[in-house]
Amino acid sequence: MTASATDSATQRLQVTAQDHQIARLAAIAIALAVLESGIPSPIPGVKPGLANIVTLLALARLGWAAAAWVSVLRILGASIVLGGIFSPGFALSLAGGACSLLVLAAAQYLPRRWFGLVSLSLLSAIAHTAGQLLLARLWLIPHNGIVYLIPILLGMGLVFGLVNGMVAEQLLRRWPAQADLQERDA
Amino acid sequence: MGTELWRCLRVGDWCLLALSVLLWAVLTHWSWQQPGATRVRIYQDGQLYAELDLLAQRTLAVPGPLGATVVEVRQGKARIAQDPSPRQYCVKAGWLQQAGQAAICLPNRTSIELTGQQARPYDSLSY
């Protein structure tokens, strides 16, 4: 295997066990996002964000970089599957996802003894809502009327953030850390 | 099962949850607060009849086709105190104090509308 461009030999990508795990988690996240899009929502834009459970698990087990990969792959993958890639909705997703990843980058250093995945989920939900509202205010709806949406969007975000965090915490307990080792051997 | 589920929250989780709810309450209070009104516009037959400052205390009788509609302004609020209209809708509207609020006495062709510091988001309203 050589990196030379003149050489016609095919380059082989080194795929690590972690790459497999990221791909697997991203696939689950995309499936959750697609499933969730079938749930009718009383208010446009309010979604449970079940895919964030997967992001949280990736963060807890594989670290922030893996969580970022899972999150970005999910946003791209879900918008390709559902249609509407590069649409305003996609931009909002990306803004929310980027904000919540930034907050998680700092929040992952919270002492685990006192702060579980519920804390990370709540912080991520607040950041997600803030990022989306900020982009919407700056670009899509350049009018202050958007502040009337803050209570509804943030309220729903907190409720779903709490539920998702509790689900993620429960899943983390049922998914022992040895599982990754077994998969690496397989 | 229910209590077991809640037990997975740690001390910090509870604190953060309480802080989040507090943040939500503060933001809700802040964002649903209407901008205060500063002036009242009185319309008669579609024409601007008078524009008063809400801080000035005064009572104004506006003549209309049925008689006089009495507009009262006091302590940053305004109301229709008296009106000859049969159903008294505009009188029942009571005191108005937020920008954008209006009381309309249709039979007497008179209406009041409160305005604030910010420009109105629309050009005009037709009744």
Side-chain angles (χ1 to χ4, degrees):
Chain A
M1 194 175 66
T2 166
S4 164
T6 52
D7 199 350
S8 60
T10 10
Q11 268 191 297
R12 290 186 66 85
L13 284 170
Q14 285 295 320
V15 184
T16 64
Q18 194 176 37
D19 292 340
H20 280 297
Q21 282 185 319
I22 289 173
R24 197 174 294 129
L25 288 173
I28 298 171
I30 292 170
L32 281 174
V34 172
L35 274 178
E36 164 181 293
S37 72
I39 303 172
S41 164
I43 308 156
V46 173
K47 288 188 291 182
L50 297 174
N52 290 320
I53 297 171
V54 181
T55 308
L56 287 171
L57 288 175
L59 179 73
R61 280 283 177 254
L62 306 171
W64 184 81
W69 269 114
V70 169
S71 182
V72 170
L73 284 174
R74 186 257 303 164
I75 293 168
L76 279 171
S79 55
I80 289 171
V81 174
L82 296 170
I85 191 167
F86 305 130
S87 68
F90 170 78
L92 286 175
S93 266
L94 207 58
C99 267
S100 92
L101 282 173
L102 282 177
V103 166
L104 285 179
Q108 62 176 326
Y109 298 111
L110 285 171
R112 270 300 152 82
R113 195 178 142 76
W114 296 300
F115 296 94
L117 286 186
V118 173
S119 290
L120 296 183
S121 182
L122 284 172
L123 288 171
S124 150
I126 294 170
H128 196 274
T129 313
Q132 286 196 327
L133 280 169
L134 209 63
L135 183 75
R137 172 65 184 83
L138 292 175
W139 178 42
L140 294 172
I141 313 168
H143 182 265
N144 274 338
I146 201 166
V147 299
Y148 293 111
L149 292 176
I150 292 176
I152 299 164
L153 294 181
L154 186 64
M156 296 315 280
L158 286 178
V159 170
F160 290 129
L162 175 67
V163 172
N164 288 349
M166 286 165 78
V167 171
E169 186 73 51
Q170 293 289 332
L171 284 175
L172 194 68
R173 289 176 187 193
R174 272 153 220 204
W175 180 30
Q178 288 90 335
D180 349 6
L181 294 172
Q182 283 164 5
E183 268 171 14
R184 214 163 287 156
D185 296 338
Chain B
M1 183 62 205
T3 48
E4 200 176 304
L5 203 62
W6 286 106
R7 215 173 290 150
C8 76
L9 269 74
R10 296 167 206 183
V11 183
D13 293 338
W14 283 111
C15 295
L16 206 77
L17 183 61
L19 271 178
S20 308
V21 173
L22 192 71
L23 173 82
W24 177 81
V26 169
L27 278 177
T28 302
H29 178 76
W30 168 76
S31 64
W32 280 355
Q33 217 172 25
Q34 289 271 0
T38 51
R39 299 178 78 78
V40 55
R41 287 163 169 242
I42 302 163
Y43 293 92
Q44 217 299 302
D45 206 12
Q47 305 292 315
L48 186 65
Y49 178 84
E51 184 167 353
L52 306 176
D53 198 301
L54 279 181
L55 293 175
Q57 183 172 336
R58 68 179 288 188
T59 309
L60 189 71
V62 185
L66 299 181
T69 297
V70 179
V71 178
E72 187 182 356
V73 178
R74 187 152 55 92
Q75 291 167 347
K77 298 181 289 184
R79 70 164 176 171
I80 307 278
Q82 265 178 54
D83 185 67
S85 307
R87 279 174 291 271
Q88 301 283 301
Y89 287 138
C90 56
V91 179
K92 287 175 188 164
W95 287 104
L96 313 179
Q97 54 180 342
Q98 287 173 343
Q101 282 188 314
I104 303 149
C105 309
L106 213 49
N108 208 23
R109 295 171 169 269
T110 308
S111 69
I112 61 171
E113 184 192 353
L114 302 201
T115 56
Q117 300 282 359
Q118 290 172 318
R120 285 186 299 181
Y122 45 84
D123 293 328
S124 70
L125 286 176
S126 303
Y127 309 112

